[in-house]
Amino acid sequence: MKGQFTRLIIFMTVCVLLVAGVTAATYAVWTTSDGGSTPATTQTGEWEDPSYRYLVLEVLFADGSSSLAEYAVTDGEGADFSAFDVGQAGADNAVSATVVGYTGILTTLKIPPSVTVRDDGGNTKEISVTAIATGTVEQYDGLRLIEELEIPATVATIGDFSFMFCDSLKKVTFVSGGGALTMGNMCFYRCVKLDYPSAVDFGGRSVTQGDDCFAK
């Protein structure tokens, strides 16, 4: 009887793990607003990586104002992954975007060089991603799951503490072709699995680092 009970507990544990794995995989798979499995398209063609859909951006406008933006959610149809929603703000006046967070569960994050934003009037515009905000990981714990990070050549600034305590991070790649890069204080501080400098590829860019940028 005791043996049967033990086997039952093991069976139930395996089932729970399998269900959890399927759930996680389902959440991470790229799906479009119509339920298909092919990548959603934007003005620049098919998106290459599903990690984009979990980004949170701060969009800067020509008048100096800004607005947080995520993918829009449409009534009864689920998520719309074709553009980041800036609400009532005029998309035509959008200038650039800053990454302020990541809400996903994927272990690889490839930040896009540009994104498409859309306002409530349906107007769209493609803008460059030029910065990563200060203190990102303190606001969005999804970043602590990241093992590999790719930063595009369009990003010129990485703020203080931006990836601090990302204790799963093992590799950082900066896409080549960009100009000078400025990294803030302690931006990769206590990333204990990141072997610097061997696991960090700056892509030949000129880099200015703040204090304790890669300190452990």
Side-chain angles (χ1 to χ4, degrees), residues 108-111 132 146-155 158 163 169-176 181 183 188 194 197-205 214:
T108 297
L109 173 58
K110 295 182 180 181
I111 297 172
I132 297 172
I146 296 300
E147 295 179 6
E148 295 188 19
L149 173 66
E150 182 178 288
I151 298 175
T154 54
V155 169
I158 300 178
F163 296 99
L169 189 61
K170 299 176 182 178
K171 181 181 180 181
V172 179
T173 301
F174 292 83
V175 177
S176 61
L181 174 69
M183 303 175 67
F188 287 95
L194 182 64
S198 60
V200 180
D201 181 1
F202 286 111
R205 300 179 64 176
F214 290 96

Side-chain angles (χ1 to χ4, degrees), residues 132-165:
I132 297 172
T134 295
T136 303
V137 75
E138 296 175 355
Q139 303 173 49
Y140 298 93
D141 284 340
L143 284 171
R144 300 194 69 169
L145 301 176
I146 296 300
E147 295 179 6
E148 295 188 19
L149 173 66
E150 182 178 288
I151 298 175
T154 54
V155 169
T157 305
I158 300 178
D160 297 343
F161 322 120
S162 52
F163 296 99
M164 185 170 67
F165 299 127

Side-chain angles (χ1 to χ4, degrees), residues 99-118:
V99 175
V100 297
Y102 173 73
T103 62
I105 60 173
L106 303 179
T107 57
T108 297
L109 173 58
K110 295 182 180 181
I111 297 172
S114 64
V115 295
T116 300
V117 296
R118 178 179 55 224

Side-chain angles (χ1 to χ4, degrees), residues 8-87:
L8 178 61
I9 293 298
I10 293 173
F11 175 77
M12 292 177 65
T13 302
V14 170
C15 289
V16 169
L17 291 174
L18 286 174
V19 170
V22 170
T23 302
T26 301
Y27 183 72
V29 166
W30 184 273
T31 55
T32 61
S33 57
D34 63 1
S37 59
T38 56
T41 57
T42 69
Q43 292 177 332
T44 56
E46 291 188 349
W47 291 56
E48 297 177 354
D49 192 274
S51 60
Y52 299 168
R53 65 183 279 191
Y54 301 115
L55 290 176
V56 182
L57 305 177
E58 182 177 32
V59 178
L60 178 66
F61 297 93
D63 63 0
S65 63
S66 62
S67 173
L68 287 181
E70 300 180 73
Y71 278 118
V73 177
T74 57
D75 294 337
E77 296 182 5
D80 179 354
F81 305 133
S82 62
F84 283 82
D85 183 16
V86 292

